[in-house]
Amino acid sequence: MDIKAVVGRNVRRYREQKSISQEELAFDTDLHRTYVNGIERGVRNPTVLIVGKLAVVLGVEPRKLPELED
Amino acid sequence: MDIKAVVGRNVRRYREQKSISQEELAFDTDLHRTYVNGIERGVRNPTVLIVGKLAVVLGVEPRKLPELED
């Protein structure tokens, strides 16, 4: 699977586990909601700094975001 | 530690474990040698697609690159 899709699926999964909306995640990371949506859909190609910001707000280690689930 | 620095240190470590030069890693990933050097020094902010390409050539899973060592 494409690494953008892996990151996107994990962002969505951890966001839903925290029960926050894309709007809230976007606000807390200083990103635009449509950009967060694009990341979750695997169409955006975020930098490692963006991955790091998302991980902080989602409360996971950055390595969890590019990690393939078993 | 800054996530760019973490990624950079891991790229350098796995590259040295494979005994390949920055030039070889750059060639195999279709990146410029100075860009790979900047990634290793933690001054560049690569995208997840670049992280994925580096991981393939280094023979590690992408999640290993943003991973803090113990």
Side-chain angles (χ1 to χ4, degrees), chain A residues 13-39:
Chain A
R13 187 160 58 89
Y14 291 121
R15 177 178 63 73
E16 290 176 346
Q17 282 177 13
K18 275 188 80 82
S19 300
I20 63 173
S21 66
Q22 283 187 350
E23 285 78 2
E24 289 171 286
L25 179 56
F27 184 84
D28 290 347
T29 49
D30 269 323
L31 299 171
H32 198 276
R33 188 193 59 77
T34 59
Y35 184 67
V36 171
N37 182 261
I39 291 172

Side-chain angles (χ1 to χ4, degrees), chain A residues 23-67:
Chain A
E23 285 78 2
E24 289 171 286
L25 179 56
F27 184 84
D28 290 347
T29 49
D30 269 323
L31 299 171
H32 198 276
R33 188 193 59 77
T34 59
Y35 184 67
V36 171
N37 182 261
I39 291 172
E40 288 194 0
R41 288 185 297 118
V43 297
R44 292 300 201 124
N45 181 23
T47 67
V48 295
L49 276 179
I50 300 286
V51 168
K53 283 171 83 166
L54 290 163
V56 168
V57 174
L58 294 170
V60 298
E61 289 173 66
R63 69 176 169 82
K64 300 303 281 182
L65 297 182
E67 187 164 271

Side-chain angles (χ1 to χ4, degrees), chain B residues 5 15-16 21 32 36 38 42 68:
Chain B
R15 177 178 63 72
E16 290 176 347
S21 65
H32 197 277
V36 171
L68 264 176

Side-chain angles (χ1 to χ4, degrees), chain B:
Chain B
M1 189 191 291
D2 180 73
I3 191 170
K4 303 194 307 298
V6 172
V7 169
R9 201 171 56 168
N10 285 327
V11 168
R12 176 161 292 165
R13 187 159 58 89
Y14 291 121
R15 177 178 63 72
E16 290 176 347
Q17 281 176 15
K18 275 188 80 82
S19 300
I20 62 173
S21 65
Q22 283 187 350
E23 285 78 1
E24 289 170 287
L25 179 57
F27 185 83
D28 290 347
T29 49
D30 268 324
L31 300 171
H32 197 277
R33 188 194 58 76
T34 59
Y35 184 67
V36 171
N37 182 261
I39 291 172
E40 288 194 0
R41 288 184 299 118
V43 296
R44 293 299 202 126
N45 182 23
T47 68
V48 296
L49 276 180
I50 299 286
V51 168
K53 282 170 84 165
L54 289 164
V56 167
V57 173
L58 293 171
V60 298
E61 290 174 64
R63 69 177 168 84
K64 300 303 281 180
L65 297 183
E67 187 164 88
L68 264 176
E69 293 168 83
D70 295 325

